[in-house]
Amino acid sequence: NNSSQLSSLPLQILLYVNGIYYIFYFLATLAMIIYKSQVFSYPDDLLAPDLAVLFLMAILEVPRLYLGFKGNLTEAEAPLGLSLGLTVGSVVLCVYLLLWQTYVLWADVLLNALLLSAYGLESGLKVTAIAAFVS
Amino acid sequence: PADIRDAAEARVRSAPAPVTDVARLCVCDLLVAQCDANCCCDPDCSAEDFSLFTACSVPAVTGDSQLCRQKAAVYSLDVEANPPERTFKLIDQVNPSIFCIHATNYKEALYLKSPEIPTPENFDQLLDKFGGATFSAEPDSWNLDTDAQNPPDANETSRYEFGVPVQTEDAFLRLPSPVVSSWCSDANPAGFLVNQATKCIRSVSVEKCDSIQALSMLFYINSSILAVKPKFLIPSVHGSVFQVNITVQSIVVQSLNGMRTALSSGDVLRLPMVLDDLCINAVLGVNYHITHTDTGEIIEAAAAFVLGAISKEALSIEQSFEISFTQENTQPVPLSGNPGYVVGLPVRAGFQPPGYPFPAAFLFAALALSSNRHSQLTILQSTASQDCLAAQGARAPVLFGYNMISGCKLRITAAVKCQPLAQTLLDVLKGQSFPEYVASFGNSQAQDVLDWVPITQLHISEQMISHTLQSSCQIPVSLGIEVKWTKYGSLVNPQARIVNVTATVTTTTLKQLPSGRERIIPIMSSVVFTDISSPAEPSYKAWPTIDIKLPFDFFYPFV
């Protein structure tokens, strides 16, 4: 019964793909930071913030995706709203890794741009889903 | 005015900014205001200079090639054109790799850091960071504060190391030596394990000779030596450090005419005193012998004195000082090389003890270990007076590799008897104890009999054909020592080894002189070192051979 289903299918698909892509993104970025620290001059007091940001983003991603799934499937706007808030934090961290990292490689630019676009699309879909649930 | 001064100070405070524009960078521009050859980027070169170049030594100047996009200055020489001209292009170089650096927020990643210019404000901090012998490239947070963990202990001692001044309870062990001029300076410390021998002149006066400290034995054995080196030179702390007293090993009394007598009661302290216009018991020489352990602690110290008399007319005397270090339980044998002889070190020689050739390892132990001067291979030393009979005992050691020639003049009158003269001349030429064996290696041990080369003695008469050969007597006029040595061992590090030593005494007939006449005969002695090493032949590895043998039952069951 399509008309009574308020859950957003595109959002669900996007969240699922985002989860898989994020695992790949996390491993790739970690590997590149290790590569940069060996090949370039990477002092410890600049390496620590970059690693901290990456791990913080990973920690934020898990509840964010879980709340997104739960909110969309149960058609509840509170978890979805919380997930949207966490997305904002993830976007900030992603922008940091895109612009303010010590060394920004071309691969970094590609990965982060892709993640940012996924976040943007997700945020749009979440807003429409919340609007659908509330009304 | 203040603002100009501030601006000048601000300029001084920062180093000039590094040049990063590739169009202005030139690695081959080494000469200032002159054109460098084949340097296409040199701004001092004109078009005529470029036409003389053959190639560009620096074809391109780029920044870090890891960047994704960067500017590159490309220089090339167009040899087709007449005259050849240089072309300069500024292009964008792209790095296709996916791991190229797109941007970096860390300035020092691409350029070297400009060092901080010291100013009065940051001087102390820079001195802390860079003032030591080493400084770490790691950030300061990684360095543990070692000073806080080990506070300096006043009782801390450390062992003596080579060259460190030997400390006594109040200062250093003094070895007076000439500084700048020949006058003795008492401020020269003796270094640990540094064997030294010095001679210097001290001004004296006979009336005050018992008040001059440097002439008295007490001055040299007064203070006791510290066995280990304390960290701080605080006399009050030294009570805890073990002290070694300097003992008097022997006393030799030298009379005014140079004759030396050893005193039997060698440990009695003799102080200088004035006696009949002479000052006796004045110290003319001190020889310190310090015994140490193999860990750098001093356990024994002994001093051998030479006391002499100073006459009234003497205004200065020459004092000689020597210090030698011996490790405990070892016999000191100064080597002349290890194993091959080193050029400039004395040739070691010795005698065979009576009872040889009975085989026993300790027989050669009586061989003189070159610390005993009388058994070295020595050669007559020329003196200023050039008189053979007056130069008794002046001998120079034969140093490996140094050809030496020396001589003296002998005055013969009619009254001279031939036979005693021949014996005297032989003593003058050969010395009191001419050795019989010479060590073939610089480190030959006395026990290794085969490492010692016998000295071949030859006698040649100058006049071979003479009918008076048998009847008249021959006097030796020259001694020639020829040392043949060879290179031994590997090609890259050949060691010198003495193979043969020949001492040739040339004699001549002493013609009887008419009375009243006198003759002067030159006496000569020489040492020649000859290299008889055969040219080195490199040896080649043997060709590999194929050695195939079939097993016994290979063709079973057919055979």
Side-chain angles (χ1 to χ4, degrees):
Chain A
N1 202 344
N2 255 356
S3 56
S4 60
Q5 182 191 319
L6 297 173
S7 308
S8 162
L9 182 60
L11 178 61
Q12 195 67 16
I13 297 173
L14 194 55
L15 283 174
Y16 186 73
V17 167
N18 195 353
I20 297 175
Y21 174 71
Y22 188 77
I23 295 172
F24 165 73
Y25 167 88
F26 176 77
L27 292 174
T29 308
L30 189 62
M32 279 201 289
I33 288 183
I34 294 172
Y35 163 77
K36 282 182 251 178
S37 73
Q38 299 301 309
V39 170
F40 304 126
S41 145
Y42 215 145
D44 290 329
D45 50 354
L46 291 175
L47 181 61
D50 290 348
L51 278 176
V53 162
L54 184 63
F55 279 96
L56 191 61
M57 211 161 102
I59 292 170
L60 275 185
E61 193 72 9
V62 172
R64 190 187 76 92
L65 284 174
Y66 173 74
L67 287 171
F69 276 118
K70 188 165 145 210
N72 194 23
L73 290 175
T74 58
E75 296 178 5
E77 58 274 0
L80 218 48
L82 213 54
S83 176
L84 197 58
L86 288 176
T87 307
V88 172
S90 288
V91 161
V92 168
L93 295 177
C94 185
V95 164
Y96 173 90
L97 286 179
L98 178 62
L99 292 180
W100 298 311
Q101 231 185 112
T102 310
Y103 291 96
V104 182
L105 304 183
W106 184 235
D108 273 324
V109 171
L110 289 175
L111 287 173
N112 283 297
L114 206 54
L115 195 64
L116 262 184
S117 56
Y119 283 164
L121 201 55
E122 235 175 72
S123 305
L125 286 173
K126 278 183 198 163
V127 165
T128 43
I130 290 175
F133 296 159
V134 164
S135 65
Chain B
D3 50 352
I4 296 182
R5 198 176 57 232
D6 283 342
E9 275 176 9
R11 266 203 306 276
V12 164
R13 228 168 261 145
S14 62
V19 174
T20 55
D21 182 10
V22 286
R24 293 195 293 140
L25 276 173
C26 195
V27 195
C28 53
D29 179 13
L30 300 170
L31 298 169
V32 175
Q34 272 185 57
C35 181
D36 292 83
N38 275 349
C39 185
C40 295
C41 53
D42 196 344
D44 308 314
C45 294
S46 61
E48 295 96 48
D49 296 320
F50 287 132
S51 63
L52 298 170
F53 290 173
T54 53
C56 280
S57 59
V58 171
V61 181
T62 61
D64 193 348
S65 60
Q66 302 252 13
L67 292 172
C68 288
R69 294 181 72 88
Q70 53 177 324
K71 286 220 170 297
V74 176
Y75 301 93
S76 63
L77 209 56
D78 185 10
V79 289
E80 304 293 317
N82 184 16
E85 57 185 33
R86 171 205 81 162
T87 48
F88 164 64
K89 281 198 294 263
L90 204 60
I91 59 170
D92 270 330
Q93 208 177 44
V94 171
N95 185 352
S97 161
I98 199 168
F99 298 117
C100 62
I101 301 178
H102 179 80
T104 172
N105 292 308
Y106 173 45
K107 210 160 59 84
E108 287 93 339
L110 302 175
Y111 310 111
L112 292 174
K113 202 163 81 161
S114 300
E116 271 183 70
I117 300 285
T119 61
E121 292 85 43
N122 65 3
F123 187 79
D124 290 321
Q125 177 234 340
L126 283 179
L127 187 65
D128 278 335
K129 206 161 152 206
F130 300 115
T134 58
F135 53 87
S136 165
E138 301 291 326
D140 289 332
S141 55
W142 286 91
N143 290 337
L144 300 171
D145 194 356
T146 52
D147 273 344
Q149 285 176 359
N150 306 331
D153 187 5
N155 272 348
E156 224 174 75
T157 60
S158 64
R159 302 196 182 98
Y160 282 110
E161 289 167 0
F162 177 81
V164 167
V166 174
Q167 288 193 354
T168 62
E169 53 185 336
D170 49 355
F172 298 106
L173 181 66
R174 284 174 296 260
L175 200 73
S177 67
V179 178
V180 182
S181 64
S182 316
W183 296 99
C184 287
S185 152
D186 288 331
N188 181 39
F192 187 66
L193 291 187
V194 178
N195 294 334
Q196 271 184 301
T198 58
K199 278 199 204 333
C200 57
I201 304 178
R202 207 178 282 276
S203 68
V204 294
S205 73
V206 176
E207 297 85 39
K208 298 204 293 271
C209 88
D210 45 0
S211 62
I212 300 179
Q213 266 201 325
L215 291 179
S216 140
M217 274 172 70
L218 267 183
F219 181 67
Y220 299 100
I221 59 173
N222 204 0
S223 47
S224 42
I225 298 178
L226 301 180
V228 287
K229 182 175 72 110
K231 204 166 165 82
F232 300 106
L233 192 63
I234 306 172
S236 56
V237 177
H238 294 173
S240 56
V241 180
F242 188 64
Q243 296 184 356
V244 176
N245 287 329
I246 307 180
T247 58
V248 177
Q249 193 181 34
S250 66
I251 301 183
V252 167
V253 174
Q254 180 171 314
S255 63
L256 272 176
N257 57 2
M259 196 158 71
R260 292 189 173 186
T261 340
L263 288 188
S264 53
S265 59
D267 46 356
V268 171
L269 203 64
R270 285 165 166 256
L271 294 176
M273 51 188 180
V274 184
L275 193 71
D276 299 339
D277 289 346
L278 286 182
C279 176
I280 62 168
N281 294 339
V283 172
L284 293 184
V286 185
N287 202 331
Y288 288 105
H289 296 280
I290 313 256
T291 311
H292 65 97
T293 66
D294 54 355
T295 54
E297 286 176 32
I298 296 181
I299 50 176
E300 229 183 281
F305 287 92
V306 174
L307 301 179
I310 311 176
S311 60
K312 201 165 167 155
E313 307 85 45
L315 291 174
S316 63
I317 54 163
E318 192 189 47
Q319 290 184 315
S320 63
F321 301 93
E322 206 181 312
I323 186 167
S324 64
F325 290 86
T326 323
Q327 196 169 320
E328 60 169 350
N329 302 331
T330 62
Q331 289 283 10
V333 178
L335 299 178
S336 298
N338 198 11
Y341 272 100
V342 172
V343 169
L345 292 184
V347 172
R348 298 175 61 216
F351 302 89
Q352 75 183 25
Y356 184 77
F358 292 109
F362 56 85
L363 276 185
F364 267 84
L367 269 176
L369 311 178
S370 307
S371 52
N372 185 359
R373 291 258 167 82
H374 296 296
S375 307
Q376 260 185 356
L377 190 62
T378 54
I379 189 179
L380 168 76
Q381 190 172 35
S382 307
T383 55
S385 61
Q386 292 186 14
D387 191 352
C388 290
L389 303 174
Q392 296 286 1
R395 303 203 59 90
V398 171
L399 303 176
F400 184 80
Y402 287 176
N403 297 342
M404 300 191 211
I405 188 166
S406 61
C408 56
K409 292 202 189 110
L410 180 70
R411 177 181 308 203
I412 303 184
T413 60
V416 155
K417 296 269 187 313
C418 176
Q419 201 51 40
L421 180 67
Q423 191 53 44
T424 314
L425 278 180
L426 208 58
D427 280 340
V428 165
L429 280 174
K430 283 197 174 176
Q432 290 297 83
S433 50
F434 194 70
E436 298 167 6
Y437 287 85
V438 166
S440 89
F441 282 111
N443 66 348
S444 294
Q445 299 297 316
Q447 306 88 278
D448 304 324
V449 172
L450 296 173
D451 270 348
W452 294 79
V453 172
I455 299 184
T456 316
Q457 312 250 6
L458 289 183
H459 285 266
I460 298 182
S461 178
E462 255 183 18
Q463 291 122 329
M464 286 309 223
I465 310 163
S466 170
H467 57 277
T468 57
L469 185 60
Q470 259 53 20
S471 50
S472 64
C473 83
Q474 308 272 325
I475 53 164
V477 287
S478 89
L479 169 71
I481 302 178
E482 190 181 2
V483 180
K484 292 203 178 84
W485 63 279
T486 176
K487 291 202 190 90
Y488 184 82
S490 69
L491 267 179
V492 296
N493 189 13
Q495 303 295 314
R497 176 189 187 170
I498 292 183
V499 178
N500 191 346
V501 179
T502 311
T504 310
V505 176
T506 311
T507 58
T508 184
T509 320
L510 179 64
K511 285 200 277 286
Q512 200 60 23
L513 286 173
S515 70
R517 299 281 300 277
E518 60 178 29
R519 227 176 97 195
I520 295 186
I521 305 182
I523 309 287
M524 199 181 72
S525 74
S526 64
V527 178
V528 172
F529 285 86
T530 321
D531 181 2
I532 59 163
S533 47
S534 49
E537 287 171 14
S539 60
Y540 298 101
K541 242 167 73 159
W543 275 100
T545 55
I546 302 176
D547 199 5
I548 304 178
K549 261 179 82 150
L550 293 174
F552 175 67
D553 52 357
F554 190 71
F555 290 115
Y556 185 84
F558 300 108
V559 169

